[in-house]
Structures are given as structure tokens and as C-alpha cells.
């Protein structure tokens, strides 16, 4: 699939730079710690050796979206026992969610005494443009500085920073890593803000023409921090699978809109029906054995801008969310 929509796209790195500056300038108030690696790459710790916090996670989520999305906290999640949520909107959903926010850059380094692995998200992906999805879009950003968000509980080695800087064509001192452990408050918040991105990625997997997606909005409960990685990973996935709601507006026929709505929700997957941690364990912790169609919002509305008709599919699952959250 190829599109010509990239001709209308702006620079995600330029758009998010003011947010990165604000995060750094307000680090103390946001309960963050700032340091540098030996090559002067800046590292923002959002929960490893510090508390991090929900507001930090909200800002990091907007940075992940390339400065083209907004995230606001709300109190209407659709669940009586866990009413608070985060609401997400992207100005340009395809670019913001798939061209920046999606965690698609595999980064690793192995030495004699340690190994590091993480999936990078954020606008730095569009500078490197190493993933197949950027070939589909025909989009590559240009900037002298960038930021990558890593969902990890350890600091990256300097070799990873050198690799990222080299692939992005920038100096190491112009690179910023933001670290968000899954079990931290910042971590659960920035993952929840991916609810719209999860829908966009599912549309891509379903081979829906992305140039027909005009706009999008999503909301989801924000999971309680898990304390340990496995619990946190399960809860953050379940928040979207059982509580995520997304509304897409598409320049498409009623038939196309209806088909997308019916195929998108998480309950269409053969693996739906148990908390994510149980599913993961049943596959002996092999992520790639899980049905890829599971990774979707719980409920979806798709509206055709051609006709104004809307199509709804999926469900919000109170019982499974309670079980996952320990309510």
C-alpha cells in the first residue's frame, strides 16, 4: 500500500519540540530526573529512580504523538468502579499515531555482562525512517534534534544512543531519551494515550486505506500501576482491550465504514475473553503467539463523512476490567 497523504504532513519533530522543552524546564515539578550519558545524550527518567507522575505521562504521551495530539484527563470512562480516563485527539491521526507514536523501532545492544532491548516511539522514528511503514507513506522528517520514548525500567547503554543518533543523522548531544517504566504512573498514562494509535494500527493491519481516515478521537481508563512489570503490562493492555473507545471519521462509503467498524474491536479476536496477563502466560510468554487481532479498542464507532452514517461495534467489559484492575 502506498499513499500520497504525506505531501500534506508537517514536521513531527518541530511540532513536539516545545513540549520537550516544557518537560525539561518543569522536571522537578513533574517528579522527573534529568541526566546525560557519556556521549552527552540527554536522558529523562520518568519512573526508574524517581516517581514520575500522571501529568508527566500526559505530556510524554503528547510528545509521542509528535506534538500533533492532545490528551486530557476525564471522569467518564463508562465504568462505575473506575470512572477516570484519558481522552485523546490527533490533528493528523495517521502521521501522529503511526508516523510518531507507534512503538515500531526495535533497539537493542548486547555485551558480555548485560543486554538491552526496547521498542522506540516518538518523532525520532520519522528522522531515521528505518521502518517499512515510512516507505509506505513516503515520509521522512528533517531536524537537528529529536526525542525517543522507551518503555523500559533500565537506562539504555551509550551504544544505543550512538546508533539512534547516527540513524537520525544528528549529534548525540541533540538526542533525548525519555524512559517510562510500564509500572510507573507516567508509564500507565502514556500507554493509555495510545488508545487511538492502537485503532490506527489495527486499521493498517486490516488494510484499510489510511488516506481515507480524516479524523479520530479516543478515550480509555488509565490502569492502576501494577507494581511489577507483568501485572502492569497486563493491566495497561486490558484498559484498552476492555475499556478503550475510539471514534474514527472516514472519507469512505457506508459499506467501507461498516466493514471497518465490525472488524476492529478486540472482541473479534479468538484470544478475547481473559485478562491479557493470563493470555500471555498461556502462550508461555511468547508475545508473537497471541492473535494480532486482539490488540484493539474495546468499542469502535466509524462515521462516514460522505453520508454522515455511523456504525458501532464491540463492547465495554466491566467484569474483565474489574478482574484485571483488582477491583
Amino acid at each position: 500500500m502506498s499513499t500520497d497523504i504525506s505531501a500534506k504532513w508537517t514536521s513531527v519533530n518541530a511540532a513536539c519540540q516545545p513540549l520537550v522543552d516544557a518537560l525539561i524546564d518543569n522536571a522537578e515539578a513533574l517528579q522527573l530526573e534529568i541526566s546525560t550519558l557519556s556521549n552527552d545524550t540527554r536522558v529523562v527518567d520518568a519512573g526508574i529512580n524517581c516517581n514520575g507522575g500522571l501529568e508527566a505521562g500526559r505530556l510524554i504521551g503528547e510528545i509521542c504523538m509528535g506534538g500533533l495530539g492532545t490528551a486530557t484527563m476525564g471522569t467518564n470512562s463508562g465504568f462505575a468502579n473506575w470512572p477516570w480516563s484519558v481522552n485523546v485527539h490527533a490533528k493528523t491521526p495517521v502521521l501522529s499515531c503511526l508516523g510518531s507514536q507507534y512503538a515500531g523501532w526495535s533497539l537493542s545492544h548486547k555485551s558480555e555482562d548485560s543486554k538491552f532491548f526496547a521498542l522506540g516511539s516518538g518523532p525520532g522514528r520519522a528522522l531515521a525512517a528505518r521502518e517499512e511503514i515510512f516507505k509506505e507513506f513516503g515520509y521522512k522528517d528533517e531536524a537537528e534534534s529529536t526525542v525517543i520514548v522507551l518503555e523500559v525500567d533500565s537506562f539504555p547503554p551509550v551504544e544505543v544512543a550512538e546508533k539512534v543518533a547516527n540513524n537520525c543523522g544528528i549529534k548525540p548531544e541533540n538526542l533525548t531519551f525519555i524512559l517510562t517504566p510500564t509500572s510507573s504512573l507516567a508509564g500507565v498514562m502514556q500507554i493509555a494515550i495510545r488508545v487511538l494509535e492502537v485503532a490506527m494500527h489495527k486499521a493498517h493491519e486490516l488494510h484499510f486505506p489510511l488516506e481515507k481516515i480524516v479524523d479520530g478521537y479516543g478515550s480509555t481508563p488509565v490502569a492502576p500501576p501494577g507494581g511489577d512489570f507483568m501485572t502492569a503490562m497486563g493491566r495497561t493492555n486490558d484498559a484498552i482491550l476492555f475499556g478503550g473507545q475510539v471514534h474514527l471519521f472516514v472519507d469512505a462509503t457506508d459499506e467501507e465504514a461498516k466493514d471497518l467498524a465490525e472488524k476492529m474491536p478486540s472482541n473479534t479476536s479468538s484470544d478475547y475473553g481473559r485478562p491479557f496477563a493470563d493470555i500471555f502466560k498461556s502462550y508461555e510468554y511468547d508475545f508473537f503467539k497471541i492473535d494480532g487481532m486482539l490488540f484493539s479498542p474495546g468499542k469502535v464507532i466509524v462515521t462516514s463523512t460522505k453520508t454522515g452514517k455511523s456504525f458501532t461495534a464491540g463492547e465495554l467489559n466491566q467484569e474483565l476490567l474489574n478482574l484485571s484492575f483488582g477491583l
Side-chain angles (χ1 to χ4, degrees):
M1 181 195 70
S2 63
T3 78
D4 60 358
I5 51 178
S6 65
K8 301 182 289 184
W9 286 351
T10 186
S11 166
V12 289
N13 282 278
C16 84
Q17 190 57 51
L19 296 177
V20 177
D21 293 341
L23 192 77
I24 302 300
D25 291 344
N26 294 283
E28 184 176 356
L30 293 169
Q31 305 181 72
L32 307 173
E33 289 187 0
I34 312 297
S35 61
T36 57
L37 300 179
S38 60
N39 66 347
D40 291 328
T41 290
R42 183 167 53 189
V43 178
V44 180
D45 177 1
I48 300 175
N49 297 319
C50 58
N51 288 328
L54 296 174
E55 177 61 11
R58 190 191 68 79
L59 288 170
I60 293 166
E62 291 186 346
I63 289 169
C64 275
M65 297 180 79
L68 300 177
T70 55
T72 58
M73 297 183 196
T75 56
N76 184 18
S77 69
F79 296 93
N81 294 340
W82 198 260
W84 77 286
S85 60
V86 65
N87 308 308
V88 183
H89 175 253
K91 297 175 183 176
T92 312
V94 177
L95 174 59
S96 179
C97 295
L98 298 183
S100 186
Q101 189 180 22
Y102 175 60
W105 192 358
S106 179
L107 297 168
S108 62
H109 178 74
K110 188 175 183 180
S111 64
E112 290 184 2
D113 55 355
S114 65
K115 58 181 179 180
F116 178 88
F117 174 78
L119 292 174
S121 60
R125 293 174 53 238
L127 276 190
R130 296 176 60 83
E131 303 157 48
E132 189 66 30
I133 199 166
F134 289 102
K135 296 178 183 177
E136 295 178 14
F137 296 159
Y139 175 78
K140 190 177 188 300
D141 200 8
E142 295 182 2
E144 294 183 355
S145 62
T146 195
V147 59
I148 288 287
V149 176
L150 303 174
E151 188 184 326
V152 292
D153 56 9
S154 62
F155 280 60
V158 70
E159 290 85 356
V160 170
E162 292 287 342
K163 174 184 177 181
V164 170
N166 182 60
N167 289 162
C168 291
I170 63 171
K171 297 177 180 179
E173 59 265 34
N174 291 337
L175 170 64
T176 298
F177 280 138
I178 301 176
L179 314 181
T180 60
T182 311
S183 59
S184 68
L185 284 170
V188 295
M189 174 60 81
Q190 72 89 15
I191 294 171
I193 293 170
R194 296 177 185 273
V195 60
L196 180 59
E197 176 251 292
V198 169
M200 296 298 297
H201 183 256
K202 182 67 171 286
H204 181 252
E205 291 294 300
L206 292 170
H207 305 293
F208 185 82
L210 296 182
E211 67 272 18
K212 293 187 177 184
I213 299 179
V214 178
D215 216 328
Y217 176 88
S219 66
T220 190
V222 180
D228 61 87
F229 171 74
M230 282 300 302
T231 302
M233 183 184 67
R235 287 178 172 179
T236 52
N237 274 280
D238 291 338
I240 294 175
L241 300 181
F242 305 137
Q245 304 179 73
V246 167
H247 193 160
L248 298 180
F249 298 86
V250 297
D251 182 16
T253 65
D254 286 347
E255 291 75 18
E256 289 174 310
K258 183 174 184 289
D259 183 65
L260 179 61
E262 290 178 346
K263 290 180 178 178
M264 182 172 286
S266 56
N267 68 0
T268 62
S269 167
S270 58
D271 279 330
Y272 182 87
R274 294 177 291 165
F276 184 82
D278 292 350
I279 297 171
F280 194 41
K281 183 178 180 180
S282 71
Y283 285 119
E284 299 178 329
Y285 307 104
D286 187 340
F287 187 85
F288 295 101
K289 289 183 180 179
I290 300 172
D291 177 22
M293 294 295 101
L294 178 66
F295 300 101
S296 316
K299 187 175 181 179
V300 176
I301 303 171
V302 180
T303 297
S304 166
T305 59
K306 288 183 179 293
T307 68
K309 292 190 67 174
S310 298
F311 304 90
T312 303
E315 63 180 359
L316 300 182
N317 196 316
Q318 176 82 62
E319 181 180 355
L320 286 175
L321 192 79
N322 285 350
L323 183 62
S324 174
F325 283 13
L327 300 177

